[in-house]
Amino acid sequence: MEESSYSEVLKFHRRHQPCCRRGIQVALLGLLTAALWTGLLTLLLLWHWDTERNLKQLGETAAWNISQVSKDLERHTGDQMAQKSQASQMLQNMEKIGAEQKKMKTQDSELSQNLYGLLEDLSNLKSQGLNERHTVLNSLERLQEEVAKLWIELRMSNGSMCNMCPEKWVNFQRKCYYFGEGAKRWIQARLACSKLQGRLVSIHSQEEQDFLVKHINRKESWIGLRDLNIEGNFVWMDENPVNYSNWRPGEPNNGGEGEDCVMMLSSGQWNDAFCNSLLNGWVCERLATC
Ligand code: MMA
Ligand code: CA
């Protein structure tokens, strides 16, 4: 009996064994699948959370960036407005400067006009002053000469001899004469006489002329007669009137390039000549002393 029940069990076991193994396998498979799913889901969930967190972070960063950008924008807008107002201020300033410049230019031209006027006045005053000075000096010279002449008259009336001349000067009547030699133009001869404290000779009588002719020794010589200011109006250096003359016939003719200075020819006759001609003789005079 025991043996038979055992075999029964074995039989049963053998009969039922394949079916149980498969069940276990199915169960195991099911468990594995469930575990896999669970893992997968867990992974999905983890991934989802991570992504969500990243997204959240990204969103926060984006919001922060946007706020930063909008702040920058605001700042830029502010800056731009400030720049705009500065630019308009500068424009206004420039306009003001332009207006000032215009005003200054007008003032400048007015000032230069005034300056020119003042300069003109000054030069007029200067030339007036110079003219007056010249006139006064001339009058003084003439007065001095008159006084000297009167002094000579007085001394002569008292019996004094007034015929004193410096060395190399020749006395004739109340004047002394210097017969200069060496090539000179008229103006150089005038200067030479003035350096000798005399002036180019003025001739007022035939006696004086005769005396001079004797001494010039046929040398063409400059004398103190010229018509520099008005053509044909001859004036003596001593400013006395032309009360005597000894022109060569046909003279004065203001020939060539213009002839404003008078020379004594070797014959003693007078000729108006070109002032820049070089003559070897020139005659100076000064008053004799007592
Ligand atoms: C001529 C005569 C003068 C003039 C001189 C210039 C020689 O004389 O015409 O009157 O001054 O020439 O050299
Ligand atoms: Ca002449």
Side-chain angles (χ1 to χ4, degrees):
M1 174 71 198
E2 250 178 56
E3 248 179 73
S4 71
S5 65
Y6 182 71
S7 65
E8 280 298 310
V9 168
L10 273 178
K11 272 183 199 166
F12 177 82
H13 196 68
R14 272 180 203 138
R15 208 172 40 228
H16 286 98
Q17 204 175 18
C19 92
C20 289
R21 234 185 246 165
R22 219 173 10 249
I24 287 165
Q25 279 174 348
V26 168
L28 277 174
L29 199 70
L31 268 173
L32 197 68
T33 314
L36 276 173
W37 273 110
T38 311
L40 196 69
L41 276 172
T42 311
L43 273 175
L44 271 172
L45 264 172
L46 280 174
W47 179 74
H48 174 72
W49 286 336
D50 194 43
T51 312
E52 214 171 357
R53 205 180 63 227
N54 284 346
L55 273 173
K56 206 175 162 188
Q57 256 179 10
L58 269 174
E60 275 167 8
T61 314
W64 187 81
N65 281 345
I66 286 168
S67 82
Q68 212 57 31
V69 166
S70 69
K71 266 184 204 165
D72 282 357
L73 205 68
E74 265 174 32
R75 214 174 41 237
H76 275 130
T77 318
D79 285 356
Q80 225 174 14
M81 273 167 74
Q83 276 174 1
K84 260 186 190 171
S85 79
Q86 268 181 357
S88 81
Q89 193 67 35
M90 273 170 76
L91 212 70
Q92 274 179 1
N93 287 349
M94 268 168 72
E95 274 170 13
K96 263 189 207 164
I97 288 169
E100 285 289 321
Q101 228 175 8
K102 251 188 181 176
K103 218 163 85 183
M104 276 169 79
K105 261 188 189 168
T106 346
Q107 279 177 351
D108 188 40
S109 78
E110 271 171 25
L111 274 175
S112 18
Q113 267 180 1
N114 288 347
L115 190 70
Y116 283 134
L118 280 173
L119 281 173
E120 217 170 293
D121 287 353
L122 190 71
S123 86
N124 282 347
L125 275 172
K126 240 186 186 174
S127 61
Q128 207 179 320
L130 278 175
N131 280 347
E132 275 169 15
R133 191 162 170 257
H134 197 241
T135 317
V136 166
L137 279 176
N138 266 356
S139 309
L140 191 71
E141 251 175 47
R142 284 183 69 79
L143 272 174
Q144 276 174 341
E145 198 168 316
E146 285 305 315
V147 168
K149 272 184 189 165
L150 281 173
W151 177 247
I152 290 168
E153 298 277 343
L154 185 74
R155 296 290 297 271
M156 281 182 84
S157 69
N158 284 346
S160 301
M161 292 290 286
C162 292
N163 54 6
M164 306 264 287
C165 291
E167 217 187 314
K168 294 185 188 169
W169 290 70
V170 187
N171 170 244
F172 179 72
Q173 294 180 349
R174 291 169 198 179
K175 292 200 277 188
C176 307
Y177 299 87
Y178 183 89
F179 298 92
E181 290 180 7
K184 286 199 193 307
R185 306 177 200 282
W186 186 87
I187 196 84
Q188 293 170 329
R190 179 185 166 167
L191 185 68
C193 288
S194 131
K195 278 184 180 165
L196 293 169
Q197 289 166 339
R199 65 183 166 222
L200 275 171
V201 69
S202 302
I203 307 167
H204 292 291
S205 69
Q206 185 65 51
E207 295 83 54
E208 196 176 11
Q209 165 70 28
D210 292 343
F211 163 78
L212 293 171
V213 172
K214 264 191 255 162
H215 283 85
I216 61 164
N217 209 11
R218 302 193 66 79
K219 202 183 292 133
E220 290 184 329
S221 305
W222 287 121
I223 60 174
L225 187 62
R226 78 282 193 214
D227 65 340
L228 291 174
N229 294 333
I230 305 167
E231 180 51 44
N233 183 25
F234 285 90
V235 178
W236 283 116
M237 288 292 293
D238 70 359
E239 291 184 7
N240 285 321
V242 182
N243 54 353
Y244 167 83
S245 66
N246 190 39
W247 295 109
R248 179 171 68 178
E251 307 294 351
N253 62 355
N254 194 35
E257 309 171 54
E259 300 180 320
D260 296 333
C261 294
V262 179
M263 63 185 281
M264 200 176 268
L265 297 161
S266 53
S267 63
Q269 286 176 313
W270 303 352
N271 168 42
D272 59 338
F274 181 50
C275 296
N276 277 341
S277 304
L278 289 168
L279 297 191
N280 276 316
W282 32 282
V283 185
C284 313
E285 68 169 28
R286 56 185 280 172
L287 286 177
T289 50
C290 304

